[in-house]
Structure formats: C-alpha cells, structure tokens
Amino acid sequence: MGTRRRHLFVLLFVLGLVVVSGIVIASKETKLGLDLQGGLELVYQGQPTKAGESVSGEDIDQSISIIEQRINKLGVAEPEVARLGENELTVSLPGITDAERAAEQVGTTAQLYFYDWEPNLIGIQRAVGGHPGQTPPKEALSKLEETWKESGRPIEAFAEQLIGAGAFPNAYQAALLASEQKPVENCKTCSVARPRFYLFERASPHKLIDGPEFKKKDLYVSPSGEKRPKNGIVIEVPTGVVLVSEYPLNGETGNYEEEVEPGWYALKDEPALNGNEITEPKQTYEPTTNQPVVSFGFTGEGREAFSTVTRQIAQRGQASALGPANAQEAQALSGHFAVVLDNEVKSRPIINFAENPDGIDGRNGAQIAGLGNLNEAQELATTLQIGALPINLKLISESQVSATLGSQALHDGIKAGIIGLALVVIFLLLYYRFLGLIASIALGAYGVIFFALIKLIPITLTLPGIAGLVLTIGVAADSNIVIFERIKEEVRAGRSMSSAISAGYKRGISTIVDANVVTLLTAFILFVLATAGVKGFAFTLGVGTIVSLLTAVVFTQALLGSMSRSRILRSPGVLGASGPGRRWHFDFMGASRWFFSLSGVILLIGGFALATKQLNFGIDFESGTRMTAALQKTTNEEGVREALSSVGINGEEVQQVSDPNFGDNVFQIQSHELEPGEVKTAQNELSSQFGIVENGFESTSVGPTFGQQVADSALKALIFSLLVICGYVALRFDPKFAVPVLIAIFHDILITAGVYSLTGKEVSSGTVAAFLTILGYSIYDTIIVFDRIRENVPRMPRAAFSQIVNRSMSEVLTRSLATSFSTLLAVTSLLIFGGATLQDFAFAMLVGIASGTYSSIFIASPVLTAWKEREPGFVRRRLRIAEVEGGRVPAYADEIEMAKLGRDEEREAEPSAAAEEPAVEATASAVATVERTDDSGNGADPRTNGDGDAVSAERRKRNEERRARRKARRKHGRR
Amino acid sequence: MALVVFFIMGIALWHFTVFVPDRFWQGIVGAFLGAVLGSIIFGLIVQEASGKSLGDTDVSTALIAVPGVLIGLAIVYAIGIRSERQLD
C-alpha cells in the first residue's frame, strides 16, 4: 500500500470511528459514579468466622453474590458490588439516603431456615394444606377460595395449586392471621425474636408496601428516602410467627413460576434447623439418574436435628397411610420439609416414608432432588450457601453523597474539562499555528472517541475519573508537541516538508512510546493496587493514553502526510518554523550546582516543616467521620457543636463553609469514626434543630482498618511504580540512566511532601493517587531529555558527556517546557474550576508537574552527567579536550561540526574544539563538570563574547592543522 | 514520619555535595547513598536512644539527621579516596 493510500485509509478509519463514536454518545447513557449522582457506598472487610482461618477469594466472590441478591430486594437501580483488594468488597447504592438501614440490610447474612412444613401451618391453612394426600374440609377450602376471590386473583391452575397447599392470595391476609396469634415471649428457637411490622395499602386488595421492619417508623420512608403513604394499614406480626411467600411450581419445567404472584403463609416460627447447621452445599448430579441435585453436609447438631425432623415427617406420613403404601402412594401422603430463605420458600421437597421410613440420616449429608433443571439446582445451591456464609462482613467505610452535591461536582468537572481543553487548543494554535490546528482537530477526535469508549465499556465516571480525563488531554497534546518540535527541527535543517514530516514522526515516535509506556505502567499499578475511587482515575488515564496514541500520532501523521505537498505547507512560517528558531545556549551543567543548592534549601525547609508541622492526613488515612450539612435556619459553628453534643457526639471539629448550591449556611463536621446509627442520629438532630435543606446532607466514615489499607496500598503503589519505572528506563536506555530518574523521583516526592506540610493542605487517598500518576507523567520530561542524550552520544563520539547533555538540553528544552505548559494549562483549569474534590487532585498534580519538570532538567541530567563522566571513556575525552583547550572544557562542542555530523549521519566526529564557545575548566567537582571562565553565564549566546575572538582564531587554526594531519593519515590508509 | 524527616534531610544536604571535590566512592550516586543511609541510621539510633517513637517528630528530629548525613558522607568520601590511592 502506498503512503498516500495508507494516509487516506487512516483518515477514513478515524473519521469512521468519530462517526460511530458520535452515534454511541448520542444513544448510550453515561454511567455516573456515586460521587456524581449521589448515593451510598459501603466498604466491607471479610473476616473469618473462626480464629485461625483465613478469608479466601472464593469467600469474597460468594459474598458478592449474596449481597447482590439482598440488594435486589432493596429495589435500588444499578447497584454495584465489587471486590476490592484481597478481602474487601465495595457496595455502591445509587439514590440510597438512609445509610443505617441500607448498611443493616446489606451487611446482614441471609436468613436461611428449614421447617417441618405441615405442623407449622396455622388455622385455615393447616386445615386445607396440613394433611397431604387427604381431601381438605369443604368449609375451610371454600373459605380460603373466598379470600382469593375477594383479593381479585383469578383461580386458575397456579392459584389452585397454591390454594391446595393452604396459601393466602396476598400478604395482607396472611398478616391478619398472624396478628391474631399469641406472641411467644422470650422465644429462643424462633428465627426472629422480635415482633415485626408490615405496611399495606388502605384500599383493597391491600397491596404490601413495606415490611418486615422492626421499627414502625421505618415503614414510612424507604432506604432511598422515598416517602410512603401515612394512611396505610400497619399490621404487627408477633414473635413466634413468620410470614413466608411461595411461588407456584410450573409442572412442565419443575421450576418455581416467579412471573406469577406468590401465595402467602403465616407459619409458626419453629424452624427445625438453620443455615449455620449445614455445610458445603453444592450442586451435583444424582449418579443413577444423572439429574441435577443439591447436596450438602451437616454440622454435628445439624445432623441430629435433620435426622429427627425427617424421621418425624416420615412417621407422620406413615401414620396417615391406612396400610402399606408403594412409593407412588407414599409420595402423595408424605409431608414436606421446607427450605426458607429471607421469608421466601426456596424448596419444599417431600420426605418419602416408603423410601426413608426412619427419616434421613444426615451422616452422609443430604440432597435435594426433583429439581427442574441445572439452573435451578445451581441457584438453590447458591441459596443454601447464603445461609452458611463462611465469613463475617465488617463495615469499614461508609460514604453518603448528596445527589445535589454530586450533580454540582459533575457540573464543575465538565466545566473544568472544557476550559482545560480550550486553553490547550488556544496554546497549540498560538504556538504551532497550522500544526496547532492539526493538533486541535486530533484533540477533538480524541475527545469524541474517548467519551464514546467511556459510554461503551462502560467506565463508571467518577470525580477522580474526570481528573484522569483532563490529564489525558495534556498527555494527548504532549505527544503532538514532541512530534511538532521534531518536524520544526527537520524543516529548519533544510529538509523538504514531506521529508520533515516523515522524519519528525519517525524520530518522535520512540520518545512518545517511552513516555506513554511509563504513564501506562503507573496507571496499571494504580488500578491494581489502589482503592475504588482511585481505580476509576487510573483506568480513565490508561484508556485515555492509549486513545491519545491513535489520535495524536497515527491520525495527525496521516492528516499532515496527506497535506504535505499542498500549498498550505509550502512555507515553514505556517508551522512556526521560520527563522533559526529558539536555541538555548545556557550552560545547564555548569549552572546545575546553583539549582542543586536551590533544591537543597527547599528540601531543608520541607524537612523542618515535616518535623514540626507534619502532614495533615485526611480521614482516608486517620479514620473518622466527616459530615456536610446544609442547614435551613441560620446558626454558627458553636450552635452546630452544641446540637451534636446534645446527642452525645462530642469532640468534633465544626467548620462553616460555603457552597454554590446551598449558600453560606453549610457546615462541615469532622469527628472520630461514627457508626451508621450515630450519623443518622446526628442528621436527625441537626434536622430537628435547624432543618436540613433537601439533598443537603453528606457523610463519610472511614474505619481504622480501611485507613491502614489505604496507606498500605499507597505505599505499595509507590514502591511498585518506582521499581517498574526504573526497570523500564534501565532496559530502554542504560542501567545508569535509571539511578538519576530514581533520585529525581525522590526529589519530587519530598518536595511535594514539604509543600503539603507547609501549606497544611489535607492529604487524601486521591492526593496520593494523583501524585503517583504525576510521577509517571513527569518522567515524560526526563525521558525526552534522556532520549535526546541517547541519540546524541553516538553522534558526538569525542565530546565530553557534559557537552552532550548541554547540547541535548538546548535542543529539547523548548519541547520540554511546552509539554509541561500544556499539561499545566489543563491542570490549572481543574484547580480553578474543578470544585473541592478535583482541586485536591489538581493541587497534587500542579506541584508534581512543576517539581517533575524542574528535577528532570536540573537534577536528573546533572546527576547522570556527573556519574557518566567518571567512566574511563569519558574521563579520557575530558582530558583530551582539556589538553587541546588549554586545561578547559567548553560548555558546548563545536556547533558547525555537529550540524555537519547530524546531516551526514557521520559516525566519526571532529575533535571538540568549540572554537566559538566559552571555555570551562576540567576541574573535579561532584556535579559541575564544566565551569565557565567568564562571568557572562546568564544564558546569553556565548558567541557574542568579543573577548574570545583572538583565542577562537588560534583554536580554529589548530583544528585546521589537525584535520589536515588526519586527511593525510587517511590518504596513506591509516585511521 | 521521623523516617521521612531523616530521608528528606539526607537528600537535602546531599544537594550541597556539589561544592565538594568529586572524590566520593561512586561519585555523586555514592554520596547520595552515604547521605541518605547515614541520616536514617544515625537518626534511628538517636531516636531509639531518646525513647521517642517514629511518629513523634519535632525540630530536633530534623537536626538529629545532620550529623548522620555528615558521617555518611565522610565514610563514602574516605572509601573514595582509598580506592583512588589503590588505583594509583
């Protein structure tokens, strides 16, 4: 495929992607995280039930399945349960506002009980369904049928089946019967030892609205804060009775028919055994029939209880038969053994007395057969596992986000992103002109494709994710800058436009790949090791970096390549490449000792600040509770403190803050860790005293375990990031290049720590994540410089290492500053417009980028120089140069010769005479391997120094003589 | 936190080794190791001896690191000089 065709193909491909992305954006909804839409996030730690045991991954996966089932009953839209770390799991409940109740329902282990069915039926139910195989009394049957008719349920096949078993048509009828029963005081064997309340609609057929609840007031507000009718009928079910539902069985499939409304029973609450008494429930196959069954074992007590209850059921069946019965007759007469999970009958097999006249000995476990299909067997096995959950779930963090504040955060994030993008585009247009336009088009394509991917995957968009997204705008722009600077260099070197574009991409791509790989590696490490919120940040950053490679490299190359012969690109001025361009002639290595001193002083200040002021760690690390309440009545911090003290919440820090949505009467309260119940109490008290604005309450509680875990994961992420980054640099460059990178990273980390200590800004898990990512990203600059050093080393075989580094720095400094500036624009936008949480991220990024840029230029490169200059080869070069230059080593090697070498790709360079450069001494000092001899080391072009003319002429003469000698040697076949 | 203070003080003072002739063992990188290790080891010993915990820091924690850095640098410098002599 020709170049032109290839460019056309790429352009069409990206255009197609943009169109498809547009369709995806228009048709799919964005999945928002809790921090953007409001809701409740709970983090649980799995703990073993017995000492000495550990929590396995299987236990956590099983718990996730259990909790998902429980959440489904809360009626929450799009809940999310995910594993977090080794033995934690996180539960996200959008829209939930009652943290206490939700936490109670999610964290409680499912209630699994086994009942001897018939004897536990009550009243009319027992009369109709309590005697298997016998015709029920007519009066009882008609009465039951009457209730079904009154409820408006048609008596079709499924209803007949339920009526035959003695079921009521709805919960209301069953609750009425249950409420008439005498309470069992201090019941030790009941599944629930407290009365429960149910709320029904006032109008017939009295549809169930809510229940069971232990507190009557909980009936009127849903966990998501939805108000329920106050005029409903409340029925109290006393201790000793439970309401259970059962779906009819589909005769053809053998499955429960869950599309049909269930029947309801009021049962005596006398379970034969509970879920804690069974072990290892699993789906298996009956060896003789190969039918799916569920088998399980028993604990010691469970085995005895199971054996007793099945014997009783078998004996009762036997007694109801008039004489000996075959298996088929016995099937009709046998009693049932019911498996009830969370008040719902999951299975009700018979105990066939003909097959098991003495019941079933639980020694070899038991199995439930007669299941419809494999799915049902698997589902039942899971159900049974629920009751026998092998771990305890401990709530270690709870975060409740107000929908209004979440929406505000989303608005702020989008605004910051758009402004950041606009600033970067303006910068690119002003600085790179036509190339800037190309880059802006690429950024537009990047934005569309990336946003479509966010919707398509889908990536749950969180606040940290938005921060990652904005950062990737900088990353995408950086890739363009690296290439554009290369193209400009090639154009200035006299290449044709098409040749310059081709060479610019060819040479720039390795730098971009190196820099992006490091960013990707850091993002990957963060994703694997970090906590939930940070994972979103890392994932967005990772995906964004990959997309940016497509749009910023492949797409722009095709776009520019296809236009390279057009009129627009005839003039170098269009690319901003007219004139010689900015060439730095600063003696970077010579001046590095002063920059070292500056860093040393900053770090000393940071060291003393850390020793005296320490770091202001947020509740993520220190544990505690933070509440934000927007109050209706005006009060002050003392008023809030007193209100909280009145309900026993003392020692809290109260701070009045302002919020764009809620005004100035907003208070942020930070205290020791409060239980969900205590948060609720605080909320109620503030509401009763001052009134809380609708959606104006948020809270976050972090336990010490979670705080420790956040700190551990941050440390692990840091160590792994350092190792991986150094490993990569060592492999791609030279092992010696990795050490300066490591030192520069330490420098950045400590300067940032010092800045945080001095400013007293809070350090949260997000801060650490943002900073770790910036470490990866800030190495971008180091890699750009090192890449050029690597390229220049073979091109300058006689130059001192300091000269190579000075040359490299002068060539890439503009590029390095431009990349940092474009990223700073995006980050500054976050800092100014991003809202409180994003500002935390942005501050860490800002410090990281500033420190990273500085350290890559003034720390990493000088350290590398000082170290490499000790190598025997470079020592010899320095001595040789010093000998020629009268004991001095110039800051720059000869420029004319360098340009010639660069063009001709000649591998043998001329001696480093540096005829027009300031001379420096080859003195031994740790870093400043070159020193200026004049006092004009201010970055100005040293060639303007008129004092050096006479010396230069002499050097030029010496060089010419040397070249002549070399030419003569070549002529005679010697090198 | 004391460890971080020792570390930062070690690195901070290391920056000023650029004014010392480069005769450290392994040059600037050796000086870096000497400064950081000297600071941490000496700091930990003094912190332990004074009965303070690692989380307990004040201005003396930062000052304690200074002699540690100097000792570390002196050791690396001495090794460097000895190596040079052996080479000569």
Side-chain angles (χ1 to χ4, degrees):
Chain A
M1 195 187 285
T3 313
R4 211 179 159 78
R5 277 194 168 187
R6 195 172 63 236
H7 288 158
L8 194 66
F9 174 76
V10 171
L11 288 179
L12 285 175
F13 175 71
V14 175
L15 191 69
L17 265 184
V18 170
V19 171
V20 172
S21 301
I23 295 168
V24 170
I25 291 170
S27 58
K28 282 188 84 85
E29 280 194 8
T30 312
K31 198 173 173 191
L32 296 178
L34 282 185
D35 51 356
L36 297 178
Q37 62 168 320
L40 179 71
E41 186 185 64
L42 305 165
V43 180
Y44 289 95
Q45 186 185 46
Q47 295 181 331
T49 50
K50 289 174 191 166
E53 287 184 356
S54 61
V55 175
S56 67
E58 203 180 321
D59 293 336
I60 296 292
D61 292 342
Q62 193 179 316
S63 304
I64 288 173
S65 161
I66 294 161
I67 290 175
E68 276 171 348
Q69 289 187 37
R70 298 194 67 80
I71 290 172
N72 289 339
K73 294 189 176 178
L74 287 174
V76 178
E78 295 187 27
E80 218 176 83
V81 188
R83 188 171 175 181
L84 185 70
E86 276 182 23
N87 54 359
E88 285 85 27
L89 51 91
T90 171
V91 181
S92 303
L93 304 169
I96 291 285
T97 54
D98 192 335
E100 185 191 1
R101 277 171 66 199
E104 197 175 78
Q105 291 194 30
V106 170
T108 313
T109 307
Q111 306 295 306
L112 178 69
Y113 292 96
F114 298 84
Y115 287 89
D116 180 356
W117 183 252
E118 282 81 10
N120 282 311
L121 290 171
I122 300 170
I124 189 172
Q125 300 180 122
R126 182 156 189 189
V128 176
H131 309 282
Q134 293 178 20
T135 311
K138 263 193 181 171
E139 195 185 335
L141 188 61
S142 354
K143 200 175 165 188
L144 191 59
E145 282 174 347
E146 196 57 36
T147 60
W148 277 73
K149 282 176 192 161
E150 279 172 13
S151 72
R153 285 188 67 172
I155 302 181
E156 30 65 61
F158 286 133
E160 276 179 7
Q161 185 195 119
L162 290 169
I163 293 169
F168 282 114
N170 52 33
Y172 179 72
Q173 298 289 346
L176 276 182
L177 176 62
S179 66
E180 291 163 6
Q181 309 305 309
K182 201 178 162 191
V184 179
E185 299 297 335
N186 301 321
C187 184
K188 302 280 185 208
T189 54
C190 296
S191 64
V192 193
R194 292 160 69 183
R196 283 128 292 143
F197 298 91
Y198 288 80
L199 178 66
F200 299 94
E201 281 180 1
R202 168 101 11 219
S204 184
H206 311 296
K207 202 175 152 196
L208 176 66
I209 300 172
D210 186 38
E213 296 281 3
F214 291 119
K215 292 175 193 161
K216 201 189 275 186
K217 70 179 174 68
D218 285 344
L219 292 171
Y220 299 107
V221 189
S222 76
S224 57
E226 189 190 332
K227 297 272 191 312
R228 288 172 178 147
K230 290 273 182 196
N231 66 343
I233 301 169
V234 176
I235 295 179
E236 181 181 342
V237 173
T239 314
V241 190
V242 286
L243 292 195
V244 298
S245 62
E246 182 185 36
Y247 288 97
L249 269 177
N250 185 322
E252 286 176 15
T253 62
N255 294 341
Y256 278 109
E257 196 58 62
E258 296 195 1
E259 300 296 313
V260 182
E261 275 188 60
W264 286 82
Y265 302 90
L267 281 188
K268 273 195 264 179
D269 191 10
E270 291 176 11
L273 64 160
N274 63 49
N276 294 329
E277 291 170 309
I278 70 164
T279 57
E280 297 173 30
K282 58 185 173 215
Q283 180 270 314
T284 54
Y285 292 91
E286 163 64 47
T288 50
T289 62
N290 207 30
Q291 288 296 306
V293 295
V294 173
S295 64
F296 48 86
F298 293 103
T299 62
E301 284 178 12
R303 193 180 71 218
E304 204 172 305
F306 181 73
S307 177
T308 306
V309 71
T310 52
R311 188 168 56 247
Q312 284 170 354
I313 295 172
Q315 285 172 351
R316 214 169 45 240
Q318 183 74 64
S320 65
L322 294 172
N326 60 30
Q328 207 174 353
E329 289 165 341
Q331 191 165 349
L333 293 168
S334 295
H336 294 80
F337 179 67
V339 181
V340 178
L341 177 82
D342 283 344
N343 299 330
E344 186 184 313
V345 176
K346 286 290 177 185
S347 175
R348 195 153 60 84
I350 57 162
I351 305 296
N352 193 316
F353 62 85
E355 291 170 2
N356 304 290
D358 293 321
I360 303 168
D361 184 357
R363 199 166 304 165
N364 299 320
Q367 66 178 38
I368 301 173
L371 300 166
N373 54 32
L374 182 62
N375 276 350
E376 196 192 343
Q378 285 171 339
E379 200 174 300
L380 183 59
T382 309
T383 302
L384 293 177
Q385 284 161 3
I386 289 170
L389 190 68
I391 55 170
N392 292 324
L393 295 177
K394 186 188 174 196
L395 185 65
I396 56 173
S397 166
E398 173 228 316
S399 181
Q400 186 188 336
V401 183
S402 143
T404 310
L405 294 176
S407 142
Q408 176 66 35
L410 177 62
H411 176 258
D412 289 343
I414 290 171
K415 191 165 83 177
I418 290 171
I419 294 174
L421 184 66
L423 286 174
V424 172
V425 166
I426 290 169
F427 166 69
L428 290 172
L429 287 174
L430 286 178
Y431 196 73
Y432 291 102
R433 304 180 203 183
F434 183 73
L435 288 178
L437 180 68
I438 299 286
S440 304
I441 294 170
L443 272 181
Y446 163 78
V448 173
I449 296 171
F450 188 28
F451 194 44
L453 272 178
I454 287 175
K455 290 188 166 206
L456 204 64
I457 291 175
I459 299 172
T460 304
L461 200 59
T462 57
L463 267 180
I466 290 179
L469 202 152
V470 174
L471 185 62
T472 57
I473 294 173
V475 172
D478 285 356
S479 303
N480 283 131
I481 290 169
V482 169
I483 289 167
F484 292 169
E485 286 293 333
R486 271 285 186 177
I487 292 175
K488 282 164 76 174
E489 273 179 37
E490 301 298 334
V491 170
R492 285 184 183 126
R495 282 182 187 264
S496 70
M497 197 57 78
S498 58
S499 163
I501 290 169
S502 169
Y505 275 93
K506 199 175 163 187
R507 292 184 174 171
I509 191 75
S510 72
T511 316
I512 292 169
V513 168
D514 284 336
N516 281 316
V517 163
V518 170
T519 308
L520 275 175
L521 287 172
T522 319
F524 178 74
I525 289 166
L526 272 181
F527 183 76
V528 172
L529 293 174
T531 48
V534 178
K535 273 185 198 292
F537 176 69
F539 193 69
T540 316
L541 184 69
V543 174
T545 306
I546 294 168
V547 177
S548 78
L549 277 175
L550 172 75
T551 56
V553 181
V554 183
F555 176 57
T556 57
Q557 185 178 16
L559 203 57
L560 271 176
S562 60
M563 297 169 82
S564 60
R565 292 181 203 282
S566 69
R567 279 188 172 187
I568 306 170
L569 290 180
R570 276 192 191 159
S571 160
V574 176
L575 307 182
S578 54
R582 175 88 174 124
R583 177 59 71 87
W584 302 81
H585 280 282
F586 187 65
D587 181 7
F588 296 95
M589 295 305 101
S592 61
R593 58 169 58 179
W594 303 113
F595 289 105
F596 259 62
S597 305
L598 179 67
S599 285
V601 170
I602 294 172
L603 284 168
L604 274 178
I605 296 169
F608 279 100
L610 276 171
T612 50
K613 292 179 72 178
Q614 303 205 329
L615 285 171
N616 176 20
F617 284 113
I619 59 169
D620 285 359
F621 293 99
E622 299 280 328
S623 87
T625 294
R626 180 182 293 149
M627 296 176 276
T628 305
L631 304 180
Q632 287 170 334
K633 288 183 197 164
T634 308
T635 181
N636 55 22
E637 291 167 356
E638 194 51 41
V640 172
R641 203 172 284 119
E642 279 172 14
L644 294 174
S645 293
S646 67
V647 287
I649 299 170
N650 297 307
E652 68 285 349
E653 290 171 29
V654 181
Q655 193 186 357
Q656 190 161 6
V657 293
S658 71
D659 182 273
N661 283 300
F662 299 121
D664 292 333
N665 203 31
V666 181
F667 292 86
Q668 202 170 69
I669 303 139
Q670 195 160 321
S671 72
H672 61 276
E673 190 199 353
L674 302 176
E675 295 293 324
E678 290 178 289
V679 174
K680 184 79 182 163
T681 308
Q683 185 182 358
N684 288 343
E685 187 58 29
L686 291 174
S687 180
S688 68
Q689 287 207 25
F690 310 108
I692 292 179
V693 180
E694 194 179 347
N695 275 327
F697 186 85
E698 278 193 337
S699 74
T700 304
S701 289
V702 179
T705 323
F706 190 65
Q708 188 59 46
Q709 189 197 323
V710 169
D712 288 348
S713 66
L715 192 66
K716 273 186 203 166
L718 177 66
I719 292 169
F720 275 96
S721 300
L722 289 179
L723 288 177
V724 168
I725 289 168
C726 287
Y728 184 77
V729 172
L731 281 175
R732 284 286 293 165
F733 293 86
D734 172 343
K736 274 198 173 171
F737 280 50
V739 177
V741 167
L742 199 65
I743 291 175
I745 288 176
F746 285 139
H747 172 272
D748 297 348
I749 292 172
L750 296 175
I751 282 192
T752 310
V755 170
Y756 266 79
S757 177
L758 277 172
T759 56
K761 277 190 85 73
E762 186 178 292
V763 180
S764 65
S765 58
T767 314
V768 175
F771 186 70
L772 287 175
T773 313
I774 280 299
L775 281 186
Y777 176 72
S778 71
I779 292 170
Y780 211 104
D781 290 323
T782 315
I783 284 176
I784 287 171
V785 178
F786 281 14
D787 189 58
R788 187 52 72 96
I789 294 172
R790 177 177 58 177
E791 193 180 313
N792 278 339
V793 165
R795 291 174 64 192
M796 302 172 74
R798 305 261 170 137
F801 201 82
S802 61
Q803 292 176 325
I804 297 172
V805 173
N806 265 338
R807 170 73 55 210
S808 307
M809 297 277 279
S810 75
E811 286 170 354
V812 298
L813 188 65
T814 307
R815 192 192 310 181
S816 208
L817 292 178
T819 54
S820 300
F821 184 69
S822 72
T823 312
L824 275 177
L825 286 176
V827 171
T828 309
S829 162
L830 270 186
L831 190 69
I832 298 171
F833 305 105
T837 312
L838 286 180
Q839 277 165 1
D840 278 353
F841 270 86
F843 187 75
M845 286 180 187
L846 198 72
V847 178
I849 289 172
S851 169
T853 308
Y854 174 85
S855 68
S856 62
I857 297 169
F858 297 113
I859 303 293
S861 303
V863 170
L864 178 69
T865 305
W867 211 22
K868 291 286 279 186
E869 291 268 291
R870 292 171 63 87
E871 288 179 3
F874 285 109
V875 170
R876 280 199 295 275
R877 284 189 198 187
R878 282 189 73 79
L879 291 173
R880 200 163 50 224
I881 294 166
E883 192 186 335
V884 172
E885 300 297 331
R888 300 162 198 278
V889 175
Y892 285 84
D894 186 276
E895 196 163 90
I896 302 162
E897 294 303 329
M898 271 306 303
K900 182 172 174 284
L901 284 167
R903 277 202 300 277
D904 300 340
E905 299 290 329
E906 195 177 315
R907 285 294 173 261
E908 186 185 22
E910 296 300 322
S912 306
E916 295 173 339
E917 300 291 349
V920 291
E921 288 177 6
T923 51
S925 71
V927 166
T929 53
V930 288
E931 284 181 0
R932 307 185 73 84
T933 50
D934 58 356
D935 292 325
S936 60
N938 54 3
D941 189 339
R943 286 174 294 182
T944 57
N945 185 354
D947 297 341
D949 283 355
V951 181
S952 298
E954 198 181 322
R955 277 187 204 141
R956 228 178 272 129
K957 196 178 162 195
R958 277 207 310 268
N959 286 338
E960 277 164 13
E961 285 169 8
R962 196 177 293 115
R963 281 186 203 119
R965 281 202 300 274
R966 177 173 289 178
K967 212 178 255 178
R969 279 206 303 274
R970 279 181 187 156
K971 208 173 172 184
H972 292 95
R974 289 163 56 207
R975 291 189 65 83
Chain B
M1 189 54 75
L3 262 178
V4 178
V5 174
F6 298 146
F7 192 55
I8 196 169
M9 290 301 285
I11 291 190
L13 294 174
W14 161 77
H15 280 81
F16 297 101
T17 56
V18 293
F19 294 103
V20 181
D22 184 11
R23 299 180 73 181
F24 294 101
W25 167 78
Q26 286 299 315
I28 195 165
V29 176
F32 177 83
L33 290 175
V36 170
L37 290 177
S39 167
I40 291 177
I41 294 168
F42 186 79
L44 284 177
I45 292 169
V46 175
Q47 189 86 348
E48 185 68 27
S50 60
K52 284 184 184 172
S53 73
L54 279 181
D56 189 9
T57 60
D58 52 33
V59 72
S60 66
T61 318
L63 291 173
I64 285 167
V66 180
V69 174
L70 296 177
I71 293 168
L73 286 173
I75 293 170
V76 179
Y77 201 82
I79 297 172
I81 289 174
R82 206 178 66 176
S83 306
E84 276 179 20
R85 281 182 189 153
Q86 280 173 353
L87 278 174
D88 291 341

